[in-house]
Coordinates of all heavy atoms in Angstrom, one line a residue:
M2 N 47.2 -253.8 -253.4 CA 46.0 -253.4 -252.7 C 44.7 -253.8 -253.4 O 44.6 -253.5 -254.6 CB 46.0 -251.9 -252.5 CG 46.8 -251.5 -251.1 SD 46.3 -252.3 -249.7 CE 44.8 -251.6 -249.3
P3 N 43.7 -254.3 -252.6 CA 42.4 -254.5 -253.3 C 41.8 -253.2 -253.6 O 41.7 -252.2 -252.9 CB 41.7 -255.3 -252.3 CG 42.4 -255.2 -251.0 CD 43.8 -254.7 -251.4
E4 N 41.1 -253.2 -254.8 CA 40.4 -252.0 -255.2 C 39.3 -252.6 -256.1 O 39.4 -253.5 -256.8 CB 41.2 -251.0 -255.9 CG 41.8 -251.3 -257.2 CD 42.7 -250.3 -257.7 OE1 42.3 -249.3 -258.0 OE2 44.0 -250.4 -257.7
I5 N 38.2 -251.8 -256.2 CA 37.1 -252.3 -257.1 C 37.4 -252.2 -258.5 O 38.0 -251.3 -258.9 CB 35.8 -251.3 -256.7 CG1 35.3 -251.6 -255.2 CG2 34.7 -251.6 -257.7 CD1 34.0 -251.0 -254.9
G6 N 37.1 -253.4 -259.1 CA 37.4 -253.6 -260.6 C 38.7 -254.3 -260.8 O 39.0 -254.6 -261.9
R7 N 39.5 -254.7 -259.7 CA 40.8 -255.2 -259.9 C 40.5 -256.8 -260.2 O 39.6 -257.3 -259.6 CB 41.6 -255.2 -258.7 CG 42.9 -256.1 -259.0 CD 44.0 -255.7 -257.9 NE 44.4 -254.4 -257.8 CZ 45.2 -253.7 -258.6 NH1 45.9 -254.4 -259.6 NH2 45.6 -252.4 -258.4
I8 N 41.1 -257.3 -261.1 CA 40.9 -258.8 -261.5 C 41.9 -259.5 -260.6 O 43.0 -259.1 -260.3 CB 41.4 -259.0 -263.0 CG1 40.4 -258.3 -263.8 CG2 41.4 -260.6 -263.4 CD1 40.5 -258.4 -265.3
V9 N 41.4 -260.6 -260.0 CA 42.0 -261.6 -259.1 C 42.1 -263.0 -259.6 O 41.1 -263.4 -260.3 CB 41.6 -261.4 -257.6 CG1 41.8 -260.0 -257.1 CG2 40.1 -261.8 -257.6
K10 N 43.0 -263.7 -259.1 CA 43.0 -265.1 -259.4 C 42.8 -265.8 -258.0 O 43.5 -265.5 -257.1 CB 44.4 -265.6 -260.0 CG 44.3 -267.2 -260.2 CD 45.5 -267.5 -261.2 CE 45.3 -269.0 -261.7 NZ 46.4 -269.3 -262.6
V11 N 41.9 -266.6 -257.9 CA 41.5 -267.3 -256.7 C 42.4 -268.5 -256.5 O 42.7 -269.3 -257.3 CB 39.9 -267.9 -256.8 CG1 39.6 -268.5 -255.5 CG2 39.0 -266.8 -257.1
T12 N 43.1 -268.5 -255.2 CA 44.0 -269.4 -254.8 C 43.7 -270.5 -254.0 O 44.4 -271.4 -253.6 CB 45.3 -268.7 -254.4 OG1 44.9 -268.0 -253.2 CG2 45.9 -267.8 -255.3
S13 N 42.4 -270.4 -253.4 CA 41.8 -271.5 -252.5 C 40.4 -271.5 -252.6 O 39.8 -270.4 -252.8 CB 42.4 -271.4 -251.1 OG 41.8 -270.2 -250.6
G14 N 39.8 -272.6 -252.2 CA 38.3 -272.6 -252.2 C 37.9 -273.4 -253.5 O 38.6 -273.9 -254.3
K15 N 36.5 -273.4 -253.6 CA 35.8 -274.1 -254.6 C 36.2 -273.5 -256.1 O 36.3 -274.2 -257.1 CB 34.3 -274.0 -254.4 CG 33.5 -274.7 -255.4 CD 32.0 -274.8 -255.1 CE 31.4 -273.4 -255.2 NZ 29.9 -273.3 -255.0
D16 N 36.5 -272.3 -256.1 CA 36.8 -271.5 -257.4 C 38.3 -271.5 -257.7 O 38.7 -270.7 -258.5 CB 36.1 -270.2 -257.4 CG 34.6 -270.2 -257.2 OD1 34.0 -271.1 -257.6 OD2 34.1 -269.2 -256.5
E17 N 39.1 -272.3 -256.9 CA 40.5 -272.2 -257.1 C 41.1 -272.3 -258.6 O 40.5 -273.1 -259.2 CB 41.1 -273.4 -256.2 CG 42.7 -273.3 -256.2 CD 43.3 -274.4 -255.4 OE1 42.6 -275.0 -254.6 OE2 44.5 -274.5 -255.5
G18 N 41.9 -271.3 -258.9 CA 42.4 -271.4 -260.3 C 41.6 -270.5 -261.3 O 42.1 -270.2 -262.3
G19 N 40.5 -270.0 -260.8 CA 39.7 -269.2 -261.7 C 39.9 -267.8 -261.4 O 40.5 -267.3 -260.5
Y20 N 39.4 -266.9 -262.3 CA 39.5 -265.4 -262.2 C 38.2 -264.9 -261.8 O 37.1 -265.5 -262.0 CB 40.0 -264.9 -263.6 CG 41.4 -265.1 -264.0 CD1 41.6 -266.0 -264.9 CD2 42.5 -264.5 -263.4 CE1 43.0 -266.3 -265.2 CE2 43.8 -264.7 -263.7 CZ 44.0 -265.7 -264.6 OH 45.3 -266.0 -265.0
A21 N 38.4 -263.8 -261.0 CA 37.1 -263.1 -260.6 C 37.5 -261.6 -260.6 O 38.6 -261.2 -260.8 CB 36.8 -263.5 -259.2
V22 N 36.5 -260.8 -260.3 CA 36.6 -259.3 -260.2 C 36.3 -258.8 -258.9 O 35.1 -259.2 -258.4 CB 35.8 -258.5 -261.4 CG1 36.0 -257.0 -261.2 CG2 36.3 -259.1 -262.7
I23 N 36.9 -258.0 -258.4 CA 36.4 -257.4 -257.0 C 35.4 -256.4 -257.2 O 35.5 -255.5 -257.9 CB 37.7 -256.6 -256.3 CG1 38.9 -257.7 -255.9 CG2 37.1 -256.0 -255.0 CD1 40.1 -257.2 -255.4
V24 N 34.2 -256.7 -256.7 CA 33.1 -255.8 -256.8 C 32.7 -255.0 -255.4 O 31.8 -254.2 -255.5 CB 31.9 -256.5 -257.3 CG1 32.1 -257.0 -258.6 CG2 31.4 -257.8 -256.4
G25 N 33.4 -255.3 -254.3 CA 33.1 -254.7 -253.1 C 34.3 -255.1 -252.1 O 35.0 -256.0 -252.3
I26 N 34.4 -254.1 -251.1 CA 35.4 -254.2 -250.1 C 34.8 -254.1 -248.7 O 34.1 -253.1 -248.5 CB 36.6 -253.0 -250.3 CG1 37.2 -253.2 -251.6 CG2 37.6 -253.1 -249.1 CD1 38.2 -252.1 -251.9
V27 N 34.9 -255.3 -248.1 CA 34.2 -255.4 -246.7 C 35.0 -254.6 -245.6 O 34.6 -253.7 -244.9 CB 34.0 -256.9 -246.3 CG1 33.3 -257.1 -245.1 CG2 33.2 -257.5 -247.4
D28 N 36.4 -255.1 -245.6 CA 37.3 -254.4 -244.7 C 38.6 -254.6 -245.2 O 38.8 -255.1 -246.3 CB 37.1 -254.9 -243.2 CG 37.2 -256.3 -243.1 OD1 37.9 -257.0 -243.8 OD2 36.6 -256.9 -242.2
E29 N 39.8 -254.5 -244.3 CA 41.1 -254.7 -244.9 C 41.4 -256.1 -245.2 O 42.4 -256.5 -245.9 CB 42.2 -254.1 -244.0 CG 42.2 -254.8 -242.6 CD 41.2 -254.3 -241.5 OE1 40.5 -253.2 -241.8 OE2 41.1 -254.9 -240.6
R30 N 40.6 -257.0 -244.6 CA 40.9 -258.5 -245.0 C 39.9 -259.1 -245.9 O 40.4 -260.2 -246.5 CB 40.7 -259.3 -243.5 CG 42.0 -259.2 -242.8 CD 42.0 -260.2 -241.6 NE 41.8 -261.5 -241.8 CZ 41.2 -262.4 -241.1 NH1 40.8 -262.2 -239.9 NH2 41.0 -263.6 -241.6
F31 N 38.8 -258.7 -246.1 CA 37.8 -259.3 -246.9 C 37.4 -258.5 -248.1 O 37.2 -257.3 -247.8 CB 36.6 -259.7 -246.1 CG 36.9 -261.0 -245.1 CD1 37.2 -260.6 -243.7 CD2 36.9 -262.2 -245.6 CE1 37.5 -261.6 -242.9 CE2 37.3 -263.2 -244.7 CZ 37.7 -263.0 -243.3
V32 N 37.1 -259.1 -249.2 CA 36.5 -258.4 -250.4 C 35.4 -259.2 -250.8 O 35.2 -260.5 -250.6 CB 37.6 -258.1 -251.4 CG1 38.6 -257.3 -251.0 CG2 38.2 -259.5 -251.9
L33 N 34.5 -258.6 -251.7 CA 33.5 -259.4 -252.5 C 33.9 -259.6 -253.8 O 34.3 -258.6 -254.5 CB 32.2 -258.6 -252.3 CG 31.7 -258.4 -251.0 CD1 30.4 -257.4 -251.1 CD2 31.3 -259.7 -250.3
V34 N 33.9 -260.9 -254.3 CA 34.3 -261.0 -255.8 C 33.1 -261.8 -256.5 O 32.3 -262.6 -256.0 CB 35.5 -261.9 -255.9 CG1 36.7 -261.3 -255.2 CG2 35.3 -263.3 -255.3
A35 N 33.2 -261.5 -257.9 CA 32.1 -262.1 -258.7 C 32.8 -262.3 -260.0 O 33.8 -261.6 -260.5 CB 30.9 -261.2 -258.7
D36 N 32.3 -263.4 -260.8 CA 32.9 -263.7 -262.2 C 31.9 -263.4 -263.3 O 32.1 -263.5 -264.5 CB 33.6 -265.0 -262.3 CG 32.5 -266.2 -262.1 OD1 31.3 -265.8 -262.0 OD2 33.0 -267.2 -262.0
G37 N 30.6 -263.2 -262.9 CA 29.6 -262.9 -263.9 C 29.0 -264.2 -264.5 O 27.9 -264.2 -265.1
A38 N 29.4 -265.3 -264.1 CA 29.0 -266.6 -264.6 C 28.4 -267.5 -263.5 O 27.3 -267.4 -263.1 CB 30.0 -267.3 -265.4
K39 N 29.3 -268.2 -262.9 CA 28.8 -269.1 -261.6 C 28.6 -268.2 -260.5 O 27.7 -268.5 -259.7 CB 29.9 -270.0 -261.4 CG 30.3 -271.2 -262.3 CD 31.3 -272.1 -261.8 CE 32.6 -271.5 -261.8 NZ 33.7 -272.3 -261.6
R40 N 29.4 -267.2 -260.3 CA 29.2 -266.2 -259.1 C 28.8 -264.9 -259.6 O 29.6 -264.2 -260.2 CB 30.6 -266.2 -258.4 CG 30.6 -265.4 -257.2 CD 29.6 -265.9 -256.1 NE 30.0 -267.1 -255.5 CZ 29.4 -267.6 -254.6 NH1 28.4 -267.3 -254.1 NH2 29.7 -268.9 -254.1
R41 N 27.6 -264.6 -259.6 CA 27.0 -263.5 -260.2 C 27.0 -262.1 -259.3 O 27.4 -262.2 -258.1 CB 25.5 -263.7 -260.6 CG 25.5 -265.0 -261.5 CD 24.2 -265.4 -262.1 NE 23.6 -264.6 -263.1 CZ 23.9 -264.6 -264.4 NH1 24.8 -265.3 -264.8 NH2 23.1 -263.9 -265.2
F42 N 26.9 -261.0 -260.0 CA 27.1 -259.7 -259.1 C 26.0 -259.7 -258.1 O 26.5 -259.2 -256.9 CB 26.7 -258.6 -260.0 CG 26.7 -257.3 -259.3 CD1 28.0 -256.7 -258.9 CD2 25.6 -256.6 -259.0 CE1 28.1 -255.6 -258.2 CE2 25.6 -255.4 -258.3 CZ 26.8 -254.9 -257.9
D43 N 24.8 -260.3 -258.2 CA 23.8 -260.1 -257.1 C 24.2 -261.2 -255.9 O 23.6 -261.0 -254.8 CB 22.4 -260.5 -257.6 CG 21.9 -259.4 -258.4 OD1 22.4 -258.1 -258.3 OD2 21.2 -259.7 -259.4
G44 N 25.0 -262.1 -256.1 CA 25.5 -263.0 -255.1 C 27.0 -263.2 -254.9 O 27.5 -264.3 -255.2
P45 N 27.6 -262.1 -254.6 CA 29.2 -262.2 -254.7 C 29.7 -263.1 -253.6 O 29.1 -263.3 -252.7 CB 29.5 -260.7 -254.6 CG 28.5 -260.1 -253.9 CD 27.2 -260.7 -254.3
K46 N 30.8 -263.5 -253.8 CA 31.6 -264.4 -252.8 C 32.4 -263.6 -251.8 O 33.3 -262.7 -252.4 CB 32.4 -265.4 -253.4 CG 33.1 -266.4 -252.5 CD 32.4 -267.3 -251.8 CE 33.1 -268.3 -251.0 NZ 32.2 -268.7 -249.8
K47 N 32.4 -263.6 -250.5 CA 33.2 -263.0 -249.6 C 34.5 -263.8 -249.5 O 34.4 -264.9 -249.2 CB 32.5 -262.9 -248.2 CG 33.4 -262.2 -247.3 CD 32.4 -262.1 -245.9 CE 33.3 -261.4 -244.8 NZ 32.6 -261.5 -243.5
K48 N 35.5 -263.2 -249.9 CA 36.8 -263.8 -249.7 C 37.9 -263.1 -249.0 O 37.9 -262.0 -249.1 CB 37.4 -264.0 -251.3 CG 36.7 -264.9 -252.2 CD 36.7 -266.4 -251.8 CE 38.0 -267.0 -252.3 NZ 38.0 -268.5 -251.9
N49 N 38.7 -263.9 -248.4 CA 39.9 -263.3 -247.6 C 40.9 -262.9 -248.7 O 41.2 -263.8 -249.6 CB 40.4 -264.4 -246.7 CG 41.5 -263.9 -245.8 OD1 42.2 -263.0 -246.1 ND2 41.5 -264.5 -244.6
V50 N 41.4 -261.8 -248.5 CA 42.4 -261.4 -249.5 C 43.7 -262.3 -249.6 O 44.5 -262.2 -250.7 CB 42.9 -259.9 -249.4 CG1 41.6 -258.9 -249.5 CG2 43.5 -259.6 -248.0
M51 N 43.9 -262.9 -248.5 CA 45.1 -263.9 -248.5 C 44.8 -265.1 -249.5 O 45.8 -265.7 -249.8 CB 45.3 -264.5 -247.0 CG 45.5 -263.4 -246.1 SD 47.0 -262.4 -246.3 CE 48.2 -263.6 -245.8
H52 N 43.6 -265.3 -249.8 CA 43.2 -266.4 -250.7 C 43.2 -265.9 -252.2 O 42.7 -266.6 -253.0 CB 42.0 -267.1 -250.3 CG 42.1 -267.7 -249.0 ND1 41.1 -268.1 -248.2 CD2 43.3 -268.0 -248.2 CE1 41.4 -268.5 -247.0 NE2 42.8 -268.5 -247.0
L53 N 43.6 -264.7 -252.5 CA 43.5 -264.0 -253.8 C 44.9 -263.7 -254.2 O 45.6 -263.1 -253.3 CB 42.4 -262.9 -253.8 CG 41.1 -263.3 -253.4 CD1 40.3 -261.9 -253.2 CD2 40.4 -264.1 -254.4
L54 N 45.2 -263.8 -255.5 CA 46.4 -263.2 -256.1 C 45.9 -262.1 -257.0 O 45.3 -262.2 -258.0 CB 47.0 -264.3 -257.0 CG 48.4 -264.2 -257.6 CD1 49.4 -263.9 -256.3 CD2 48.8 -265.3 -258.3
M55 N 46.4 -260.9 -256.5 CA 45.9 -259.6 -257.2 C 46.6 -259.6 -258.5 O 48.0 -259.8 -258.6 CB 46.4 -258.4 -256.3 CG 45.7 -258.4 -255.0 SD 44.0 -258.1 -255.0 CE 43.5 -258.5 -253.4
Q56 N 46.0 -259.4 -259.5 CA 46.6 -259.3 -260.9 C 46.8 -257.7 -261.1 O 46.3 -256.9 -260.5 CB 45.5 -259.8 -262.0 CG 45.2 -261.2 -261.8 CD 46.3 -262.2 -261.8 OE1 47.1 -262.2 -262.7 NE2 46.5 -262.9 -260.7
P57 N 47.8 -257.5 -262.1 CA 48.1 -256.1 -262.3 C 47.2 -255.2 -263.1 O 47.5 -254.1 -263.5 CB 49.5 -256.2 -263.1 CG 49.3 -257.5 -263.8 CD 48.5 -258.4 -262.9
V58 N 45.9 -255.8 -263.2 CA 45.0 -255.0 -264.2 C 43.7 -254.6 -263.4 O 43.2 -255.5 -262.6 CB 44.5 -256.1 -265.3 CG1 43.4 -255.6 -266.2 CG2 45.7 -256.4 -266.1
V59 N 43.2 -253.5 -263.6 CA 41.9 -253.1 -263.0 C 41.1 -252.8 -264.2 O 41.5 -252.0 -265.1 CB 42.2 -251.7 -262.1 CG1 40.9 -251.2 -261.7 CG2 43.1 -251.9 -261.0
S60 N 39.9 -253.3 -264.2 CA 38.9 -253.3 -265.3 C 38.3 -251.8 -265.3 O 37.5 -251.5 -264.3 CB 37.9 -254.3 -265.4 OG 36.9 -254.0 -266.2
V61 N 38.6 -250.9 -266.1 CA 38.1 -249.6 -266.2 C 36.5 -249.5 -266.2 O 35.8 -248.8 -265.6 CB 38.7 -248.8 -267.2 CG1 38.2 -247.3 -267.3 CG2 40.3 -248.7 -267.1
E62 N 36.1 -250.5 -267.1 CA 34.6 -250.5 -267.5 C 33.9 -250.9 -266.0 O 32.9 -250.2 -265.7 CB 34.3 -251.5 -268.4 CG 34.8 -251.4 -269.8 CD 36.2 -251.9 -270.1 OE1 36.7 -252.5 -269.1 OE2 36.5 -251.9 -271.3
V63 N 34.4 -251.8 -265.3 CA 33.7 -252.3 -264.0 C 33.9 -251.2 -263.0 O 32.9 -250.9 -262.4 CB 34.4 -253.6 -263.6 CG1 33.9 -253.9 -262.3 CG2 34.1 -254.8 -264.6
A64 N 35.1 -250.6 -263.0 CA 35.3 -249.6 -261.9 C 34.4 -248.4 -262.1 O 33.8 -247.9 -261.3 CB 36.8 -249.1 -261.9
D65 N 34.3 -247.9 -263.3 CA 33.4 -246.8 -263.7 C 31.9 -247.0 -263.4 O 31.2 -246.3 -262.9 CB 33.6 -246.4 -265.3 CG 35.0 -245.7 -265.5 OD1 35.7 -245.3 -264.4 OD2 35.3 -245.6 -266.7
S66 N 31.4 -248.3 -263.8 CA 30.1 -248.6 -263.7 C 29.7 -248.7 -262.2 O 28.7 -248.2 -261.8 CB 29.9 -250.0 -264.3 OG 28.6 -250.4 -264.2
M67 N 30.6 -249.3 -261.4 CA 30.4 -249.3 -260.0 C 30.5 -247.8 -259.3 O 29.6 -247.6 -258.4 CB 31.6 -250.1 -259.2 CG 31.4 -251.7 -259.5 SD 29.9 -252.4 -258.7 CE 30.3 -252.3 -257.1
R68 N 31.3 -247.0 -259.8 CA 31.4 -245.7 -259.3 C 30.1 -244.8 -259.6 O 29.5 -244.1 -258.8 CB 32.6 -245.0 -259.8 CG 32.9 -243.7 -259.1 CD 34.3 -243.0 -259.6 NE 35.4 -244.0 -259.8 CZ 35.8 -244.3 -261.0 NH1 35.4 -243.9 -262.1 NH2 36.9 -245.2 -261.1
E69 N 29.5 -245.1 -260.9 CA 28.4 -244.3 -261.4 C 27.1 -244.9 -260.8 O 26.1 -244.0 -260.4 CB 28.5 -244.3 -262.9 CG 29.6 -243.4 -263.5 CD 29.6 -243.8 -265.0 OE1 28.8 -244.4 -265.6 OE2 30.7 -243.3 -265.6
T70 N 27.0 -246.2 -260.8 CA 25.6 -246.6 -260.5 C 25.6 -247.5 -259.2 O 24.5 -247.9 -258.8 CB 25.0 -247.5 -261.7 OG1 25.8 -248.7 -261.9 CG2 25.0 -246.6 -262.9
G71 N 26.8 -248.0 -258.8 CA 26.8 -248.9 -257.6 C 26.6 -250.3 -258.1 O 26.4 -251.3 -257.2
R72 N 26.4 -250.5 -259.3 CA 26.2 -252.0 -259.9 C 27.0 -252.1 -261.1 O 27.6 -251.2 -261.7 CB 24.7 -252.0 -260.3 CG 23.7 -252.0 -259.3 CD 22.2 -252.2 -259.7 NE 22.1 -253.5 -260.3 CZ 22.1 -254.8 -259.7 NH1 22.2 -254.7 -258.3 NH2 22.0 -255.8 -260.3
V73 N 27.1 -253.5 -261.6 CA 27.8 -253.8 -262.9 C 27.0 -254.9 -263.4 O 26.5 -255.8 -262.6 CB 29.3 -254.0 -262.6 CG1 29.5 -255.3 -261.7 CG2 30.0 -254.1 -263.9
T74 N 27.0 -255.2 -264.6 CA 26.3 -256.2 -265.2 C 27.2 -257.3 -265.3 O 28.4 -257.3 -265.3 CB 25.9 -255.9 -266.7 OG1 27.1 -255.7 -267.5 CG2 25.1 -254.6 -266.9
N75 N 26.5 -258.6 -265.1 CA 27.3 -259.8 -265.3 C 28.1 -260.0 -266.6 O 29.2 -260.5 -266.6 CB 26.4 -261.0 -265.0 CG 26.0 -261.0 -263.5 OD1 26.6 -260.9 -262.7 ND2 24.6 -261.1 -263.4
A76 N 27.5 -259.5 -267.6 CA 28.2 -259.5 -268.9 C 29.5 -258.7 -269.0 O 30.5 -259.2 -269.5 CB 27.3 -259.0 -270.1
K77 N 29.5 -257.6 -268.2 CA 30.7 -256.7 -268.1 C 31.8 -257.5 -267.4 O 33.0 -257.3 -267.7 CB 30.3 -255.3 -267.5 CG 30.9 -254.2 -268.2 CD 30.4 -253.0 -267.5 CE 29.5 -252.2 -268.6 NZ 29.1 -250.8 -268.1
L78 N 31.4 -258.1 -266.3 CA 32.3 -259.0 -265.5 C 33.0 -260.0 -266.4 O 34.1 -260.2 -266.3 CB 31.6 -259.5 -264.2 CG 31.2 -258.5 -263.2 CD1 30.3 -259.4 -262.2 CD2 32.4 -257.8 -262.6
R79 N 32.0 -260.7 -267.1 CA 32.5 -261.8 -268.0 C 33.6 -261.2 -269.0 O 34.6 -261.9 -269.3 CB 31.4 -262.6 -268.5 CG 30.7 -263.4 -267.7 CD 29.7 -264.4 -268.3 NE 28.7 -263.6 -269.2 CZ 27.5 -263.2 -268.9 NH1 27.2 -263.4 -267.7 NH2 26.8 -262.6 -269.7
Y80 N 33.2 -260.2 -269.6 CA 33.9 -259.5 -270.7 C 35.3 -259.1 -270.0 O 36.3 -259.4 -270.7 CB 33.2 -258.3 -271.2 CG 34.0 -257.6 -272.1 CD1 34.2 -258.0 -273.5 CD2 34.6 -256.4 -271.9 CE1 35.0 -257.4 -274.4 CE2 35.4 -255.6 -272.8 CZ 35.7 -256.2 -274.0 OH 36.5 -255.5 -274.9
A81 N 35.4 -258.6 -268.9 CA 36.7 -258.0 -268.4 C 37.5 -259.2 -268.1 O 38.7 -259.2 -268.4 CB 36.4 -257.3 -267.1
I82 N 37.0 -260.4 -267.5 CA 37.8 -261.5 -267.2 C 38.3 -262.2 -268.6 O 39.5 -262.6 -268.7 CB 36.9 -262.5 -266.4 CG1 36.8 -262.0 -265.1 CG2 37.6 -263.8 -266.3 CD1 35.7 -262.7 -264.2
Q83 N 37.5 -262.3 -269.6 CA 37.8 -262.8 -270.9 C 38.9 -262.1 -271.6 O 39.8 -262.6 -272.1 CB 36.6 -262.9 -271.7 CG 36.7 -263.6 -273.2 CD 35.5 -263.5 -274.0 OE1 34.7 -262.7 -273.7 NE2 35.5 -264.2 -275.1
K84 N 38.7 -260.7 -271.5 CA 39.7 -259.8 -272.1 C 41.1 -260.0 -271.4 O 42.1 -260.1 -272.1 CB 39.3 -258.3 -272.1 CG 40.1 -257.5 -272.9 CD 39.3 -256.1 -273.0 CE 39.8 -255.1 -271.9 NZ 39.4 -253.8 -272.1
Y85 N 41.2 -260.1 -270.1 CA 42.3 -260.3 -269.5 C 43.0 -261.6 -269.6 O 44.1 -261.8 -270.0 CB 42.1 -260.1 -267.9 CG 43.4 -260.5 -267.2 CD1 44.4 -259.6 -267.2 CD2 43.5 -261.6 -266.4 CE1 45.6 -259.7 -266.5 CE2 44.7 -261.9 -265.7 CZ 45.7 -260.9 -265.6 OH 46.9 -261.2 -265.0
A86 N 42.1 -262.8 -269.7 CA 42.6 -264.1 -270.1 C 43.3 -264.1 -271.4 O 44.3 -264.9 -271.7 CB 41.6 -265.2 -269.7
Q87 N 42.6 -263.6 -272.4 CA 43.2 -263.6 -273.7 C 44.4 -262.8 -273.8 O 45.3 -263.3 -274.5 CB 42.0 -262.9 -274.7 CG 40.9 -263.8 -275.0 CD 39.9 -263.1 -276.0 OE1 39.9 -261.9 -276.1 NE2 39.0 -263.9 -276.6
G88 N 44.5 -261.8 -273.1 CA 45.8 -261.0 -273.1 C 46.9 -261.8 -272.4 O 48.0 -261.7 -272.9
K89 N 46.6 -262.7 -271.6 CA 47.6 -263.5 -271.0 C 47.9 -264.8 -271.8 O 48.9 -265.6 -271.5 CB 47.2 -264.0 -269.5 CG 47.4 -263.0 -268.5 CD 47.2 -263.5 -267.2 CE 48.4 -264.5 -266.8 NZ 48.5 -264.9 -265.6
G90 N 47.1 -265.0 -272.8 CA 47.2 -266.2 -273.6 C 46.6 -267.5 -272.9 O 47.1 -268.6 -273.3
E91 N 45.7 -267.4 -272.1 CA 45.1 -268.5 -271.4 C 43.8 -269.0 -272.1 O 43.2 -268.3 -272.8 CB 44.9 -268.2 -270.0 CG 46.0 -268.1 -269.2 CD 45.7 -268.0 -267.7 OE1 44.6 -268.2 -267.2 OE2 46.7 -267.6 -266.9

């Protein structure tokens, strides 16, 4: 299930093969994703959940920040993705 802070792998579109973090949920079919680099928090991409591969990791830092302030820094998004990718050995 999509939830704020979950790391996803993009499976189609311009960002295919890259990782992003869910920063918003539009409805049951669409979510907003950002990676903190090319796709920043202030301009998230609306993606169909069918075009995303949900990873088993939810970034606690991102989820807490979104819950407390409704925002998250781009650096925090980049850090969450980098930490996940290093853990996977990519």
Side-chain angles (χ1 to χ4, degrees):
M2 273 306 293
E4 61 183 296
I5 293 188
R7 181 168 301 278
I8 296 178
V9 295
K10 186 167 189 173
V11 181
T12 59
S13 71
K15 184 174 71 171
D16 301 326
E17 183 176 350
Y20 289 101
V22 180
I23 296 177
V24 294
I26 298 175
V27 179
D28 56 30
E29 66 276 347
R30 276 189 59 207
F31 291 98
V32 294
L33 300 174
V34 298
D36 64 8
K39 290 183 293 189
R40 186 58 70 178
R41 305 183 69 82
F42 175 77
D43 292 330
K46 176 72 177 156
K47 182 178 175 184
K48 292 292 284 184
N49 187 326
V50 293
M51 302 298 284
H52 300 162
L53 299 172
L54 188 60
M55 302 290 164
Q56 302 300 305
V58 175
V59 175
S60 170
V61 178
E62 296 94 350
V63 173
D65 287 347
S66 180
M67 289 294 291
R68 196 177 312 110
E69 291 168 11
T70 65
R72 297 187 56 79
V73 65
T74 63
N75 291 309
K77 228 174 243 185
L78 292 172
R79 289 191 305 269
Y80 175 74
I82 292 169
Q83 179 186 15
K84 192 166 93 171
Y85 176 72
Q87 282 178 345
K89 281 193 69 176
E91 291 186 12

